[in-house]
Amino acid sequence: MRFQQTIRKPVTCSGVGLHTGCRVSVTLKPAPQDTGIVFIRTDVGGNPRVPVSIKHARPALLSTTVGVDGVQIQTIEHLLAAAAGLGIDNLYVDVDAPELPALDGSATPFVSLLLEAGIAPQDRRQAYLKVVRPLEVVDGDKRITIRPAAESRVTYTIDYAHPMIGRQVYAYDCSRDAFVGDIAPARTFGFLREVEALWEAGLGLGGSLQNTLILSEEGLLNEGGLRFDDEFVRHKILDLIGDMMLLGLPVIGEIEAVRSGHALHARLVSRILESRDNWVLISAQAPVPAGRLRELPPSLVASPSRD
Ligand SMILES: [Zn+2]
């Protein structure tokens, strides 16, 4: 078990929200151990706090949103993915608008910002949720499965009837280097034919070729082209990594997602938390009751000693 981590100093960035189009400034700040990720709306009286948790997840199209008492923060998934990918557990996030900035549409600007702040190990070890029996959520032809595994891995399949996408499959073995190099740079994408409908729905108002890969019927409108041939499926993995932060702690298991999206990612998180017999908590802090310890294989019970 590794120690919990936060950042060494506050860092700030600003930009435009992808869906609201609002200008927004974000300051990431160190947070004490066992805080998790907590958003603070500095533009709302009383500076309400919204902890990242499935309990606070709010239904939203095409993005992940958390809210408490009518105060929301939208499109949090790319920042959450950056934190997850770098193993940052505790963070305060001051934000002065209802949506995080899109930046370049990937998680790389958030990764750079977090690395600029520096990563600070803390005194307590990070608890993990280890899947011991498989779980699946299905919605028509979309599905996600999580199975027990020694190391975390995500395999994602997408299938779009578009000449630049088609069927793409990507397997990501979770590691900091693979996240930073292979997953974080993948940008969000959308289809030109859907743009007007999105605008009518009040979404995508801040979308542009600077923060979204936009596909016409024939090809890609972005002049610089793709960062990877399979940038689309890599971005879906990025979104999944961010959305899994709604669990509140890292999960160990092998995830297989097919044609999935934010709503099904959130359903998987809920299903995991409801299915108490399908996972064990590996924690150095909260001792597992002695009776329960005997039921678990020794490999699943972490030693509280530090090395
Ligand atoms: Zn995304």
Side-chain angles (χ1 to χ4, degrees), residues 77-78 105 188 235 238-239 262:
E77 59 270 23
H78 302 163
T188 195
H235 187 80
L238 167 58
D239 282 340
H262 294 299

Side-chain angles (χ1 to χ4, degrees), residues 213-234:
L213 293 170
I214 300 180
L215 295 146
S216 66
E217 296 303 322
E218 302 81 36
L220 186 68
L221 299 187
N222 307 66
E223 280 185 2
L226 296 174
R227 292 177 179 172
F228 309 98
D229 287 344
D230 53 2
E231 186 165 354
F232 307 98
V233 70
R234 293 181 194 228

